[in-house]
């Protein structure tokens, strides 16, 4: 559960800064606790996998059109898919990732939903 | 085949043979989706992949509530190609061009799967079906370039 681990690290670990007084330490506010709970409940990601048929410009086009990514980000994600074999292109609640997966399948891209990027 | 961007959408000029080929492929695609007798397992696995790796139960459930809609939308898109592809200039508005681009992927997956293209670098042997595959790829590439043009 890499995502959860990162979130816990990001939100819970108090920086061990030499000389810092307790007053300087971040204290958890109700807002932060709410965000944390929400994030821990949403460790779902959408992964798009490389395939030998889809054209590179089409994949960029789909990322731009469906997710609204700027061209540079869409191209970066497409190259990640192409070179690494896969890329996480969205994260959020499970239901939302499943809707994205269905849309990607309609576009002809191979997408899966997972609990983290592993 | 010639393509042009006219501001309102995309215009494509087809030879009779090209339009006929697209129509036949689009009908074939719709048949494969609709006719369970054809049971083209490798193609269907590509078109409707598992949404969860290593979790057959979750993948089956996902399929249960998405498959029908995906089938309908994919066959409807292929039928739009079959209905609009004719010899001479074909004018597509923006949305219709998007539908074409999407369905051309499905047609390329159908032909590519038959050619045994499984991973990057797989080069099909020369032949008529390979020519069809390359024709579809060129058409989709230029169509997407026009859709992406500012």
């Amino acid at each position: 559960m890499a995502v959860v681990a990162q979130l816990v690290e990001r939100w819970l670990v108090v920086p061990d800064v030499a000389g810092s007084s307790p007053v300087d330490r971040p204290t958890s506010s109700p807002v932060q606790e709410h965000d944390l709970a929400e994030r821990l409940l949403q460790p779902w990601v959408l992964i798009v996998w490389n395939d030998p048929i889809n054209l590179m410009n089409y994949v960029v086009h789909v990322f731009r059109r469906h997710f609204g990514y700027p061209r540079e980000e869409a191209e970066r994600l497409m190259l990640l898919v192409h070179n690494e074999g896969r890329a996480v292109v969205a994260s959020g609640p499970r239901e939302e990732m499943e809707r994205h997966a269905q849309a990607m399948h309609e576009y002809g891209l191979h997408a899966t939903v997972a609990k983290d990027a592993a | 085949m010639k393509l042009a961007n006219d501001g309102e959408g995309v215009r494509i000029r087809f030879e009779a043979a090209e339009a006929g080929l697209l129509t036949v492929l689009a009908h074939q695609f719709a048949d494969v989706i609709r006719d369970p007798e054809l049971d083209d397992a490798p193609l269907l696995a590509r078109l409707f992949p598992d949404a969860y790796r290593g979790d057959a139960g979750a993948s089956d459930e996902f399929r249960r509530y998405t498959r029908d809609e995906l089938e309908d939308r994919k066959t409807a898109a292929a039928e739009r190609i079959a209905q609009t592809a004719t010899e001479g200039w074909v004018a597509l508005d923006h949305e219709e061009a998007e539908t074409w681009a999407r369905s051309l992927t499905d047609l390329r997956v159908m032909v590519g799967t038959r050619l045994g293209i499984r991973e990057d670098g797989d080069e099909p042997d020369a032949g008529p079906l390979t020519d069809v595959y390359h024709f579809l790829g060129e058409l989709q590439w230029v169509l997407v370039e026009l859709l992406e043009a500012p």
Side-chain angles (χ1 to χ4, degrees):
Chain A
M1 298 267 291
V3 169
V4 171
Q6 281 165 12
L7 288 171
V8 168
E9 202 173 14
R10 191 182 312 157
W11 288 90
L12 293 185
V13 171
V14 177
D16 186 17
V17 181
S20 69
S21 70
V23 179
D24 295 329
R25 292 185 162 192
T27 52
S28 85
S29 69
V31 171
Q32 278 176 330
E33 279 169 8
H34 178 73
D35 281 356
L36 173 62
E38 202 157 272
R39 279 162 179 269
L40 286 176
L41 287 171
Q42 305 179 349
W44 293 88
V45 292
L46 181 79
I47 302 168
V48 169
W49 299 80
N50 188 42
D51 76 84
I53 289 177
N54 272 305
L55 300 173
M56 291 164 98
N57 72 345
Y58 178 71
V59 175
V60 171
H61 180 67
V62 171
F63 288 170
R64 274 163 57 76
R65 182 172 155 82
H66 180 76
F67 297 105
Y69 285 131
R71 180 181 299 278
E72 297 72 30
E73 178 64 2
E75 285 175 353
R76 189 185 72 82
L77 290 170
M78 178 278 291
L79 286 172
L80 260 182
V81 172
H82 185 70
N83 295 324
E84 306 295 325
R86 67 182 178 189
V88 172
V89 299
S91 62
R94 181 176 186 173
E95 293 71 23
E96 193 184 319
M97 296 306 102
E98 290 195 335
R99 282 197 296 276
H100 285 321
Q102 182 178 359
M104 290 302 104
H105 293 181
E106 186 178 342
Y107 278 113
L109 270 56
H110 183 189
T112 57
V113 177
K115 233 180 172 174
D116 59 35
Chain B
M1 180 173 70
K2 281 163 89 174
L3 287 93
N5 192 337
D6 68 1
E8 303 280 306
V10 172
R11 295 195 308 138
I12 315 172
R13 188 178 187 282
F14 289 117
E15 305 291 331
E18 293 169 333
L21 175 66
L22 285 169
T23 305
V24 167
L25 289 172
H27 283 314
Q28 278 184 13
F29 179 84
D31 287 345
V32 171
I33 301 288
R34 283 212 191 97
D35 189 348
E37 295 270 302
L38 292 174
D39 193 23
D40 188 339
L43 175 58
L44 295 178
R46 291 285 276 272
L47 293 174
F48 309 106
D50 283 351
Y52 290 86
R53 286 221 162 179
D55 189 340
S59 294
D60 287 346
E61 197 184 335
F62 177 86
R63 228 179 243 111
R64 230 181 350 265
Y65 64 82
T66 60
R67 176 74 175 255
D68 287 352
E69 193 181 342
L70 278 172
E71 287 187 356
D72 288 349
R73 294 181 66 87
K74 282 175 181 288
T75 48
E79 274 160 3
R80 282 309 294 158
I81 288 190
Q83 286 159 6
T84 41
T86 55
E87 183 182 3
W89 284 103
V90 173
L92 305 174
D93 66 22
H94 197 84
E95 274 311 302
E96 201 143 38
E98 292 286 353
T99 303
W100 268 62
R102 204 156 38 78
S103 190
L104 283 170
T105 289
D106 289 334
L107 300 185
R108 294 182 64 246
V109 167
M110 178 175 74
V111 175
T113 304
R114 281 184 202 161
L115 287 168
I117 297 173
R118 296 273 176 274
E119 46 193 271
D120 276 351
D122 281 355
E123 275 298 326
D125 295 334
L129 197 58
T130 299
D131 293 343
V132 168
Y133 184 69
H134 289 144
F135 163 73
L136 293 172
E138 280 168 34
L139 173 58
Q140 191 188 26
W141 178 272
V142 182
L143 187 58
V144 170
E145 289 295 297
L146 289 176
L147 284 169
E148 284 280 316

